[in-house]
Amino acid sequence: MTLSIIRHIPELRERIAEFRRSRPDSSVGFVPTMGYLHQGHASLIRRSAEENGLTVVSAFVNPTQFGPNEDFDKYPRDEARDKSLASEAGAHILFMPEVSEMYPDPIRTTVAVTGLTDRLCGASRPGHFEGVATVVTKLFNIVTPDRAYFGLKDAQQVAVIARFTRDLNIPVDIVPCPTVREADGLALSSRNVYLSPEERRQALILSRTLGQVPDWIEEGMTEAELSVRLRGKIRSQPLADIDYADVLTYPELEFPRAGMRLRNSDRPLLIALAVRFGNTRLIDNVLLFPQEVRA
Amino acid sequence: MTLSIIRHIPELRERIAEFRRSRPDSSVGFVPTMGYLHQGHASLIRRSAEENGLTVVSAFVNPTQFGPNEDFDKYPRDEARDKSLASEAGAHILFMPEVSEMYPDPIRTTVAVTGLTDRLCGASRPGHFEGVATVVTKLFNIVTPDRAYFGLKDAQQVAVIARFTRDLNIPVDIVPCPTVREADGLALSSRNVYLSPEERRQALILSRTLGQVPDWIEEGMTEAELSVRLRGKIRSQPLADIDYADVLTYPELEFPRAGMRLRNSDRPLLIALAVRFGNTRLIDNVLLFPQEVRA
């Protein structure tokens, strides 16, 4: 099956309905992206292709999740590359709508999640998660997938999507997938293309710092102590400008009990970083489950 | 086919999936209600039963659309009556979930529609339409109907539901249906049961006033003149306490151009009333299309 490029919603719906009629016992997997695909996306597509009879990838740079001073206009785009990567990874349909296809009228409806969205990237990027929740709801309603695959590099996004999906009874399984990294540890991101060679070199501090977190937790650190250690370590790189470096429970995104040694946590812990290098804001994180915390 | 009473979401989903497997060319119609069914609901159910192979009715008094001083606790409930009326009208499934089935955790997600919801009942009942939009989104995701039927007595509700359904690409046709009235003109409402005999008698002013609106428009009234006439007429009943009596375009719910004779409107017009009689707030309206306005 070769990759079909689809740009219009009715055609996409028709193709998916046709698949369901012809393969009623199969399933549809969905990988929503903003395009400029990399090997992180490829891993999601491969997993969907293994688990479903039809894999739909969307590539849509959604304007409503960008703030007025963010990089919507210059967000990298490369359709030819997206087609070849999606095809090689096993996608059947690449949905690439224009903005006017997704927003034919000014949208008046918002899907909002309270609590989870007022911290981390939600604090730095007001309105971002409303934009994400609304467009992902739209895409779920258009594709009506059985499963949707998201990378854990955006761990807060995964928590928000899992939450509204459950709250609104959307009949889709949210499948979180591990972050894919370069050989030297840098988490893959479409925004890495913005980095100068020196910024890219210094950005390695994120994955190196996160790699030490399990040891620091084993030493008996509290949330406050770990936050100080994270910040100190990241500041060793002169170009690093910290947006946040936080330790939260997952997926609730609440602060762990003050003074508790994190190795005693009975909740999964998310250690999440957002750091600017020059004009480029990078995020990375590690998610630790209680058994790992206590290892 | 006899009426099945279903109280749990997985069982409902399974029954609907079974219907779709066995009748792939048929369709599912849905009539969401708050129960205490009357002949207005029956007309929606009958229409759904004519147009679809399976008709699902939900009866759920949704707490999140009631304000703190509203009638959630005393909203009338009568399961036996709901079962017999739904069955007689041709429903196949009556979904009657407990609050804990619809809200197993405190809900963190809201579906909100801006603009349309800050006037009429939205102004009098803050949060009401967010509660409605959120629960109807949940019900649409649970039932996944092809068509959903709503009474135009709640004209603003129909406009809000049609709007978020379109904005979020929910794959359901919203079918607005005419208001059903008693022989003397009173619009059917579950809340009519609250009225004393004298309140009920005076409440007839609503339908009588609305019945004269086409004549007043034909005389050449503007929006401002018609609003004054409506209020004067309703105030002829001493128990009537006006919440609103407004003239708006439909379904945008915007004020018509000031000074324009309404008979020249190129937009449909909604003349909407909300009036208290004692403790009971009643709503009623008439929707006029340009050809009728110019009759």
Side-chain angles (χ1 to χ4, degrees), chain A residues 9 13 105-114 116 134 138 141-142 163-164 166-171 254, chain B residues 9 13 105-114 116 134 138 141-142 163-164 166-171 254:
Chain A
I9 294 168
R13 286 196 202 275
D105 309 303
I107 190 164
R108 293 238 185 131
T109 305
T110 309
V111 178
V113 180
T114 55
L116 295 181
T134 305
K138 285 170 67 71
N141 285 327
I142 292 166
R163 181 76 202 203
F164 79 70
R166 189 178 72 186
D167 279 351
L168 297 181
N169 304 90
I170 302 178
E254 289 166 356
Chain B
I9 294 168
R13 287 197 201 276
D105 309 303
I107 191 165
R108 293 240 187 128
T109 305
T110 310
V111 178
V113 181
T114 55
L116 296 181
T134 305
K138 286 169 67 72
N141 285 327
I142 293 166
R163 181 76 201 203
F164 79 72
R166 190 178 71 185
D167 278 350
L168 297 180
N169 304 89
I170 302 178
E254 288 165 357

Side-chain angles (χ1 to χ4, degrees), chain A residues 84-105:
Chain A
S84 72
L85 192 144
S87 176
E88 281 162 28
H92 305 102
I93 294 174
L94 180 56
F95 177 52
M96 304 179 107
E98 296 289 329
V99 171
S100 60
E101 184 76 11
M102 292 297 287
Y103 301 105
D105 309 303

Side-chain angles (χ1 to χ4, degrees), chain B:
Chain B
M1 201 159 158
T2 60
L3 181 74
S4 305
I5 309 297
I6 297 184
R7 297 186 189 273
H8 297 288
I9 294 168
E11 185 188 351
L12 179 60
R13 287 197 201 276
E14 186 41 47
R15 271 292 301 278
I16 292 166
E18 204 176 274
F19 172 80
R20 293 213 182 262
R21 277 192 300 269
S22 66
R23 304 263 313 269
D25 296 325
S26 187
S27 60
V28 175
F30 180 40
V31 181
T33 81
M34 296 212 299
Y36 211 71
L37 302 182
H38 52 61
Q39 286 303 316
H41 300 112
S43 74
L44 305 177
I45 298 168
R46 278 194 299 270
R47 173 132 180 221
S48 172
E50 279 164 22
E51 297 182 351
N52 304 280
L54 184 77
T55 288
V56 179
V57 176
S58 65
F60 177 61
V61 186
N62 173 40
T64 72
Q65 73 194 65
F66 286 80
N69 299 314
E70 293 183 0
D71 57 348
F72 173 69
D73 286 327
K74 68 163 191 153
Y75 195 86
R77 291 159 170 92
D78 185 341
E79 286 206 1
R81 174 182 146 142
D82 289 348
K83 289 173 196 173
S84 72
L85 190 143
S87 175
E88 281 163 28
H92 305 102
I93 295 174
L94 179 57
F95 178 51
M96 303 178 108
E98 296 289 331
V99 171
S100 60
E101 183 76 11
M102 292 297 287
Y103 300 105
D105 309 303
I107 191 165
R108 293 240 187 128
T109 305
T110 310
V111 178
V113 181
T114 55
L116 296 181
T117 58
D118 61 8
R119 53 213 67 165
L120 302 179
C121 289
S124 316
R125 305 182 67 186
H128 170 67
F129 283 115
E130 285 79 352
V132 169
T134 305
V135 79
V136 173
T137 299
K138 286 169 67 72
L139 289 166
F140 282 173
N141 285 327
I142 293 166
V143 177
T144 63
D146 298 283
R147 299 186 188 90
Y149 298 80
F150 294 91
L152 276 167
K153 185 169 80 68
D154 300 298
Q156 184 178 18
Q157 174 174 280
V158 174
V160 169
I161 290 170
R163 181 76 201 203
F164 79 72
T165 298
R166 190 178 71 185
D167 278 350
L168 297 180
N169 304 89
I170 302 178
V172 57
D173 283 342
I174 304 302
V175 185
C177 301
T179 301
V180 176
R181 298 176 181 280
E182 306 272 12
D184 60 10
L186 185 70
L188 295 192
S189 165
S190 303
R191 288 187 171 99
N192 290 348
V193 71
Y194 298 150
L195 297 168
S196 72
E198 179 57 23
E199 287 164 354
R200 194 195 173 297
R201 201 185 61 71
Q202 294 196 20
L204 294 179
I205 193 65
L206 302 187
S207 55
R208 285 191 191 142
T209 302
L210 292 170
Q212 290 181 274
V213 163
D215 290 343
W216 294 335
I217 289 180
E218 208 185 324
E219 283 170 24
M221 281 195 174
T222 64
E223 179 269 323
E225 289 163 349
L226 181 56
S227 295
V228 169
R229 179 71 63 91
L230 291 170
R231 284 159 203 271
K233 194 86 183 175
I234 295 165
R235 287 202 187 100
S236 71
Q237 299 302 305
L239 295 177
D241 174 15
I242 298 176
D243 178 0
Y244 62 73
D246 287 342
V247 181
L248 297 167
T249 64
Y250 196 83
E252 303 81 6
L253 305 184
E254 288 165 357
F255 281 107
R257 197 151 38 78
M260 178 189 67
R261 289 174 194 276
L262 295 172
R263 69 183 178 207
N264 295 327
S265 174
D266 58 1
R267 303 291 315 145
L269 294 174
L270 176 71
I271 295 84
L273 311 177
V275 180
R276 280 176 199 286
F277 293 88
N279 292 320
T280 305
R281 182 176 173 280
L282 299 182
I283 61 174
D284 200 352
N285 69 71
V286 64
L287 186 55
L288 297 171
F289 291 86
Q291 58 278 26
E292 298 173 88
V293 172
R294 287 182 185 135

